């Protein structure tokens, strides 16, 4: 279901896989996360000071060689969900023809950890699949909103008038199987993971790589071609 928060189409769904398949995805996500920590890849990306936790893509063949059976259906489902979203939310009539690129990131939190406020700057949309939200969580209706427990918080992208901010942010309760797809540039964060156990999710950043006239652009780099 796509809900229009402010002018922002946000898809919420539940994953279509049975428990054993979700467990396979969760185990693989945790295993790849730790593999990345112990074997950081050699690449040309700068080591920026915001402490990026992971610079990898589980859709690379290097990682998919280790993936469980559910990985292929998961990847196909991401693609079809995104194409359908582009058609329904943005009216992209030829959504089925677009060249789409994706990066799949394993996210793994221990109690007390959270996602800082951020947006995603290399893509158009972000899809999250929650695989593990820990144990011993307080029911949302009994939870102090000043503390929270792992809720995804989306912020109204519009500049605001004299109006209380807490009526403008949207909290999304997270649970295993939840899927959320939202525009990548919207500021978002999560409340700290205050339960026990582990919090595990797969994040897919998605971008449209065709039909966007990007080939028309040239780089500005302090020089001009002279006659
Ligand atoms: Fe994010």
């Amino acid at each position: 279901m796509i809900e229009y928060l402010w002018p922002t189409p946000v898809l919420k769904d539940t994953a279509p896989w049975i428990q054993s398949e979700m467990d396979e995805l969760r185990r693989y996500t945790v295993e790849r996360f730790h593999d990345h920590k112990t074997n950081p890849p050699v690449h040309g990306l700068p080591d920026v000071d915001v402490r990026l936790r992971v610079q990898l893509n589980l859709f690379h063949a290097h990682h998919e060689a280790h993936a469980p059976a559910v990985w292929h259906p998961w990847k196909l489902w991401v693609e079809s969900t995104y194409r359908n979203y582009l058609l329904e939310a943005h009216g992209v009539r030829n959504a089925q023809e677009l060249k789409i690129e994706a990066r799949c990131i394993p996210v793994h939190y221990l109690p007390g950890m959270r996602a800082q406020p951020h947006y995603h700057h290399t893509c158009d949309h972000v899809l999250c699949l929650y695989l593990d939200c820990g144990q011993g969580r307080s029911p949302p209706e009994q939870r102090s909103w000043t503390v929270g427990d792992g809720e995804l918080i989306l912020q109204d992208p519009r500049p605001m008038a004299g109006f209380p901010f807490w009526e403008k942010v949207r909290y999304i309760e997270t649970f295993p199987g939840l899927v959320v797809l939202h525009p990548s540039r919207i500021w978002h964060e999560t409340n700290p993971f205050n339960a026990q156990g582990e919090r595990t999710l797969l994040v897919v950043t998605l971008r449209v790589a065709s039909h966007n006239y990007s080939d028309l652009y040239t780089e500005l780099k302090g020089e001009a071609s002279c006659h």
Side-chain angles (χ1 to χ4, degrees):
M1 180 190 75
I2 296 176
E3 189 179 358
Y4 288 81
L5 307 180
W6 327 291
T8 306
V10 174
L11 177 145
K12 280 192 275 183
D13 202 349
T14 49
W17 298 288
I18 60 175
Q19 189 59 50
S20 60
E21 292 173 322
M22 291 289 287
D23 288 342
E24 282 184 353
L25 283 174
R26 178 181 51 76
R27 278 194 295 272
Y28 177 64
T29 301
V30 173
E31 186 270 322
R32 283 293 96 189
F33 180 87
H34 290 303
D35 175 78
H36 174 75
K37 284 296 195 188
T38 51
N39 306 289
V42 176
H43 53 60
L45 296 171
D47 188 15
V48 293
D49 61 7
V50 294
R51 299 201 179 104
L52 289 177
R53 294 194 180 94
V54 279
Q55 295 196 21
L56 76 170
N57 180 0
L58 294 190
F59 288 153
H60 280 157
H62 163 77
H63 296 290
E64 291 190 327
H66 304 271
V70 68
W71 193 254
H72 188 56
W74 145 252
K75 193 173 178 180
L76 289 176
W77 185 86
V78 168
E79 180 177 350
S80 64
T81 298
Y82 188 41
R83 291 186 190 278
N84 292 337
Y85 172 93
L86 287 171
L87 176 63
E88 185 177 340
H90 295 309
V92 178
R93 296 187 306 280
N94 54 355
Q96 298 302 322
E97 304 165 19
L98 301 176
K99 178 184 175 186
I100 289 171
E101 295 178 334
R103 175 181 170 217
C104 183
I105 306 156
V107 177
H108 183 62
Y109 289 141
L110 297 175
M113 295 172 70
R114 65 175 298 227
Q116 301 283 323
H118 67 286
Y119 53 82
H120 299 253
H121 61 100
T122 58
C123 52
D124 296 306
H125 291 87
V126 180
L127 182 150
C128 297
L129 167 63
Y130 293 85
L131 295 165
D132 189 352
C133 295
Q135 297 87 44
R137 304 178 73 207
S138 55
E141 63 277 8
Q142 295 175 16
R143 206 176 287 159
S144 166
W145 77 276
T146 59
V147 179
D149 186 359
E151 299 90 343
L152 172 63
I153 305 173
L154 302 178
Q155 299 189 33
D156 189 334
R158 297 172 294 183
M160 191 33 63
F163 197 80
F165 71 87
W166 54 87
E167 295 187 28
K168 302 302 296 178
V169 294
R170 297 298 187 106
Y171 293 77
I172 296 178
E173 173 69 7
T174 58
F175 54 87
L178 174 69
V179 173
V180 180
L181 194 170
H182 62 80
S184 63
R185 298 301 201 279
I186 192 167
W187 281 93
H188 58 284
E189 60 188 283
T190 59
N191 273 333
F193 167 41
N194 284 320
Q196 293 85 52
E198 300 177 352
R199 179 176 167 88
T200 304
L201 55 149
L202 284 168
V203 175
V204 183
T205 57
L206 296 146
R207 66 182 179 193
V208 176
S210 67
H211 296 69
N212 56 15
Y213 294 84
S214 59
D215 289 350
L216 289 174
Y217 285 72
T218 51
E219 183 180 356
L220 297 180
K221 46 185 178 182
E223 57 191 45
S225 51
C226 301
H227 310 271

